[in-house]
């Protein structure tokens, strides 16, 4: 039985929608509503009425006017969402500030929805996006489809460039529209890396690669949750950017836009950036086999994903992947050593793992034996420290095992997993999170959970790995002593102060500066779907925007987590998800 905190009421004429607001804490409440539009509106007002006083209402998509001493707020459209048409949904997220821990109820209505000035007269629902569990058993503890859908929203919030008409993140606008102008190349688009606004090629390509791998392995995870179109819309954003970055006629590959130091001295919206954004490139004399190889892998995987959906685009990706792989393989070197200013934030430890990934994906896309032979030459036998944006040797080993059943590769994957499972030497928090490093502890656990699910599909220790992966993802989603979710917008308690510039800024034209970094209040915008860095080795975590070690978000942080969710949804969909082991610190809310 799925519990969504979804409250739907069939309403009669002039009735308001009543909602029991159960998401609350000391000092605030939070919620969101989505009202189906049943007639065209050319400007609108919604009345949100509480039975307790709300001191202040934070809402980014409309103007909130306090009435009746805080028991009513009149919500008025902004220019961008003035026009609402039949079939649309008017969705509003809000955070209310209170003097204490209260549990209010509320009603909402839209003026004139039925043409008579009354509220709407149809079946609708007001819902909170915060809590989505199922009980245990073969369906798993959580409904994993919701955080998967929300992860797509997070990636959409990271978009750079000219945003499309269907942009779902209303507090984001066009930005960095002159990227590449310093070199006469259009380098607009792509994803901002984290809470900052640099476009780092290596982690962006690593992110796209894992996301595409999850779709290719588990397409039913997306189709069964109606997320296929949203996935392709999301993943095309970095792929289009990668195509712009590679200029084969000149052997030039642009692998970074923006200067990390200059960017990190600016706290504000992406839309307000005024600093120079230099474009950095690899060439034959300044090679970057790592970033070029990883990007080739992502484009080759993209060509497979798009083959049935858009054959011409698939061919374009494959052609680019082939030539970029030749460039990466011919002119070898680490990008962070070749180009001054490129490795300060994402320094590369090597490039054979990225070349291996590129070779395997090109083999999968073409079935040309030469690529598989290359991969066999690039694969390493050592156990990996982790699966990360930098170290992909275990991913290479697993993919080679998938293709050839190579015994050495299989043993390397099993050895890696042995080092991560209990008793293998890795640190565990008191409540059971496999803790590799203070920088993105949830990221490393989720990446390994994804790899475990992929290894299980390959026939390696299937039940053991699936149970373990499920335990790690469940911990991240809130199955811990504090019942705390490290995914923004999921669960009753989740981070409200991520280290993310744009989310910390109020809507334009209100000013934003470093004062917003140090503000003690929740971020004005809920960065739905983002996975924060996570707890320390003792399981402690503080929701503090200034703490970029534990409260940073990043594209690569979400990649393994997102992909592991897809694997768990596939197992649920195919009724093959094993019952999870009893957690060390079960959340009492269940």
């Amino acid at each position: 039985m799925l519990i969504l905190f979804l409250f739907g009421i069939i309403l009669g004429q002039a009735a308001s929608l009543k909602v029991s607001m159960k998401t609350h804490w000391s000092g605030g409440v939070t919620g969101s509503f989505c009202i189906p539009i049943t007639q065209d509106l050319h400007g609108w007002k919604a009345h949100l009425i509480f039975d307790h006083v709300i001191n202040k209402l934070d809402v980014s998509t409309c103007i909130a006017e306090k009435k009746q001493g805080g028991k009513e707020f009149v919500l008025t459209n902004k220019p961008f969402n003035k026009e609402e048409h039949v079939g649309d949904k008017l969705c509003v997220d809000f955070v209310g500030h209170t003097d204490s821990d209260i549990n209010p109820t509320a009603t909402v209505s839209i003026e004139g929805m039925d043409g008579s000035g009354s509220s709407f007269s149809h079946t609708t629902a007001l819902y909170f996006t915060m809590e989505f569990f199922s009980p245990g058993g073969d369906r798993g503890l959580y409904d994993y489809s919701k955080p998967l859908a929300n992860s797509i929203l997070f990636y959409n919030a990271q978009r750079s460039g000219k945003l499309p008409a269907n942009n779902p993140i209303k507090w984001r606008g066009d930005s960095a529209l002159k990227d590449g102008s310093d070199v006469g190349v259009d380098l607009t688009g792509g994803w901002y890396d984290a809470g900052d606004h640099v476009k780092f090629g290596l982690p962006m390509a690593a992110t796209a690669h894992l996301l595409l791998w999850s779709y290719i392995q588990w397409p039913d995870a997306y189709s069964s949750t109606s997320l296929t179109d949203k996935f392709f819309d999301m993943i095309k954003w970095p792929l289009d950017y990668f195509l712009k970055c590679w200029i084969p006629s000149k052997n030039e590959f642009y692998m970074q836009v923006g200067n990390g130091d200059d960017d990190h001295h600016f706290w504000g919206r992406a839309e307000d950036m005024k600093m120079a954004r230099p474009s950095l490139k690899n060439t034959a004399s300044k090679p970057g086999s790592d970033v070029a190889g990883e990007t080739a892998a992502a484009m080759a995987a993209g060509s497979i994903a798009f083959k049935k959906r858009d054959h011409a685009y698939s061919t374009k990706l494959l052609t680019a992947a082939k030539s970029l792989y030749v460039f990466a393989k011919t002119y070898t070197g680490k990008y962070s050593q070749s180009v001054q200013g490129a490795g300060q934030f994402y320094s590369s430890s090597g490039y054979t793992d990225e070349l291996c990934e590129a070779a395997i994906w090109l083999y999968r896309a073409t079935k040309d034996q030469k690529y598989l032979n290359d991969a066999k030459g690039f694969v390493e036998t050592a156990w990996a420290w982790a699966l990360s944006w930098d170290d992909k040797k275990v991913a290479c080993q697993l993919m080679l095992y998938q293709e050839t059943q190579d015994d050495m590769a299989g043993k390397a994957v099993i050895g890696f997993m042995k080092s991560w499972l209990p008793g293998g030497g890795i640190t565990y928090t008191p409540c059971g999170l496999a803790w590799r490093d203070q920088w993105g502890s949830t990221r490393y656990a989720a990446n390994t959970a994804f790899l475990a699910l992929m290894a299980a599909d390959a026939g390696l220790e299937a039940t053991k790995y699936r149970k373990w992966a499920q335990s790690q993802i469940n911990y991240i989603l809130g199955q811990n002593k504090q019942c705390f979710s490290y995914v923004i917008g999921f669960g009753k308690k989740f981070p409200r102060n991520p280290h993310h510039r744009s989310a910390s800024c109020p809507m334009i034209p209100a000013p934003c500066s470093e004062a917003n970094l140090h503000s003690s209040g929740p971020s004005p915008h809920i960065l739905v779907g983002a996975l924060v860095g996570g707890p320390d080795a003792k399981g402690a975590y503080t929701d503090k925007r200034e703490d970029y070690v534990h409260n940073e978000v990043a594209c690569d942080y979400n990649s393994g987590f997102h992909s592991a969710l897809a694997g768990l949804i596939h197992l649920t969909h195919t009724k093959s998800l094993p019952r999870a082991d009893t957690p060390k610190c079960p959340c009492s809310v269940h």
Side-chain angles (χ1 to χ4, degrees):
M1 176 180 178
L2 176 63
I3 303 174
L4 283 100
F5 288 168
L6 177 63
F7 305 91
I9 302 174
I10 298 177
L11 301 175
Q13 189 78 359
S16 294
L17 178 65
K18 295 182 179 179
V19 176
S20 175
M21 296 180 58
K22 295 186 178 178
T23 308
H24 61 94
W25 68 97
S26 181
V29 295
T30 185
S32 66
F33 59 81
C34 278
I35 301 175
I37 302 300
T38 59
Q39 66 184 65
D40 286 351
L41 300 176
H42 309 288
W44 51 265
K45 286 187 178 181
H47 295 262
L48 187 59
I49 299 174
F50 298 90
D51 69 339
H52 284 71
V53 170
I54 305 296
N55 296 329
K56 179 185 175 185
L57 198 72
D58 290 337
V59 57
S60 62
T61 53
C62 53
I63 300 167
E65 183 181 3
K66 187 175 179 180
K67 299 283 188 179
Q68 300 183 53
K71 285 196 172 183
E72 178 183 3
F73 286 84
V74 178
L75 309 180
T76 306
N77 64 271
K78 290 191 173 182
F80 74 87
N81 61 2
K82 177 180 179 180
E83 301 293 326
E84 298 289 344
H85 304 288
V86 175
D88 292 342
K89 286 186 178 181
L90 174 61
C91 296
V92 174
D93 295 304
F94 61 85
V95 177
H97 300 271
T98 62
D99 290 329
S100 59
D101 189 353
I102 61 173
N103 184 14
T105 61
T107 64
V108 64
S109 61
I110 293 183
E111 291 183 9
M113 178 70 83
D114 65 359
S116 64
S118 66
S119 60
F120 36 91
S121 56
H122 53 280
T123 301
T124 186
L126 180 62
Y127 63 88
F128 289 77
T129 60
M130 315 312 174
E131 198 69 33
F132 297 85
F133 339 101
S134 301
D138 63 0
R139 293 195 59 195
L141 182 65
Y142 293 98
D143 172 17
Y144 301 110
S145 66
K146 189 59 186 181
L148 183 68
N150 286 351
S151 182
I152 291 175
L153 289 176
F154 165 66
Y155 284 113
N156 289 340
Q158 295 299 103
R159 283 172 167 173
S160 177
K162 179 73 175 176
L163 299 187
N166 67 348
N167 168 40
I169 313 299
K170 300 306 181 184
W171 46 272
R172 284 297 327 283
D174 300 341
S175 61
L177 298 181
K178 294 183 179 180
D179 279 1
S181 60
D182 59 322
V183 292
V185 178
D186 176 12
L187 296 178
T188 58
W191 286 327
Y192 294 124
D193 178 62
D196 56 5
H197 302 127
V198 183
K199 296 190 297 198
F200 292 108
L202 185 55
M204 192 191 307
T207 296
H209 169 230
L210 284 195
L211 296 173
L212 284 159
W213 192 4
S214 79
Y215 175 80
I216 293 167
Q217 184 75 10
W218 302 303
D220 64 305
Y222 296 89
S223 61
S224 66
T225 54
S226 301
L227 292 174
T228 300
D229 289 345
K230 291 181 179 179
F231 172 81
F232 277 102
D233 187 53
M234 172 198 76
I235 201 65
K236 195 171 183 292
W237 204 259
L239 291 175
D240 284 349
Y241 172 71
F242 297 152
L243 288 169
K244 292 179 180 182
C245 291
W246 172 226
I247 306 174
S249 62
K250 296 182 179 180
N251 265 353
E252 294 178 348
F253 177 67
Y254 287 92
M255 45 68 190
Q256 182 173 320
V257 179
N259 178 279
D261 286 330
D262 290 345
D263 181 272
H264 288 188
H265 283 100
F266 165 76
W267 191 275
R269 306 177 189 88
E271 295 78 7
D272 295 339
M273 289 186 294
K274 292 182 173 60
M275 78 286 285
R277 290 175 59 80
S279 306
L280 306 184
K281 67 183 178 182
N282 292 122
T283 62
S285 60
K286 295 181 179 180
S289 301
D290 32 31
V291 63
E294 189 68 9
T295 306
M299 290 196 292
S303 74
I304 296 172
F306 275 92
K307 190 169 186 178
K308 292 182 180 179
R309 189 178 184 91
D310 187 338
H311 191 268
Y313 187 67
S314 170
T315 300
K316 188 176 183 179
L317 288 170
L318 183 56
T319 300
K322 287 178 179 178
S323 59
L324 185 56
Y325 172 69
V326 171
F327 171 75
K329 181 183 170 185
T330 303
Y331 307 104
T332 56
K334 294 189 288 187
Y335 89 101
S336 52
Q337 289 184 344
S338 298
V339 180
Q340 185 176 1
Q344 182 177 356
F345 295 93
Y346 288 96
S347 182
S348 174
S349 61
Y351 54 79
T352 57
D353 49 346
E354 287 90 359
L355 290 176
C356 181
E357 285 187 329
I360 289 179
W361 281 109
L362 283 166
Y363 170 72
R364 289 177 169 179
T366 66
K367 299 305 177 186
D368 189 330
Q369 187 66 33
K370 71 180 182 183
Y371 293 119
L372 186 59
N373 291 339
D374 280 357
K376 291 177 181 178
F378 290 130
V379 71
E380 301 174 63
T381 59
W383 294 3
W385 180 79
L387 173 61
S388 73
W389 59 266
D390 178 42
D391 188 352
K392 296 105 173 176
K393 67 169 66 73
V394 69
C396 172
Q397 291 161 348
L398 178 54
M399 285 192 284
L400 187 62
Y401 180 77
Q402 288 174 324
E403 295 299 330
T404 66
Q405 299 294 296
D406 180 86
D407 186 60
M408 177 278 296
K411 287 181 178 178
V413 173
I414 292 172
F416 169 78
M417 287 305 307
K418 182 179 180 180
S419 71
W420 271 80
L421 266 62
I426 195 168
T427 298
Y428 275 78
T429 66
C431 287
L433 180 72
W435 194 92
R436 172 55 85 191
D437 188 73
Q438 66 172 345
W439 290 89
S441 58
T442 56
R443 170 257 311 264
Y444 286 118
N447 285 1
T448 307
F450 161 68
L451 189 96
L453 294 171
M454 196 67 72
D457 274 14
L460 301 175
E461 302 279 1
T463 300
K464 180 191 296 186
Y465 292 173
R466 286 168 178 163
K467 283 189 172 187
W468 182 85
Q470 188 180 177
S471 74
Q472 296 302 298
I473 298 303
N474 287 349
Y475 182 105
I476 290 169
L477 291 174
Q479 189 57 213
N480 51 62
K481 187 175 182 180
Q482 295 78 23
C483 298
F484 188 84
S485 165
Y486 294 95
V487 184
I488 298 173
F490 188 91
K492 288 187 175 180
K493 294 188 290 184
F494 56 83
R496 300 174 189 278
N497 298 280
H499 188 81
H500 189 276
R501 288 157 175 76
S502 291
S504 78
C505 297
M507 288 292 286
I508 295 173
C512 187
S513 67
E514 192 167 340
N516 296 83
L517 165 63
H518 304 296
S519 171
S520 59
S523 292
H525 308 297
I526 299 176
L527 189 62
V528 173
L531 176 68
V532 300
D536 64 19
K538 295 181 180 179
Y541 168 83
T542 301
D543 183 13
K544 187 177 182 181
R545 190 177 299 112
E546 296 159 306
D547 182 2
Y548 51 82
V549 176
H550 300 103
N551 228 26
E552 180 77 280
V553 299
C555 287
D556 82 283
Y557 279 23
N558 262 67
S559 61
F561 169 70
H562 176 116
S563 300
L565 290 169
L568 292 173
I569 292 169
H570 162 76
L571 292 173
T572 302
H573 183 236
T574 57
K575 301 186 185 303
S576 50
L577 181 66
R579 181 181 291 273
D581 292 332
T582 302
K584 285 187 175 182
C585 306
C587 173
S588 60
V589 169
H590 300 274

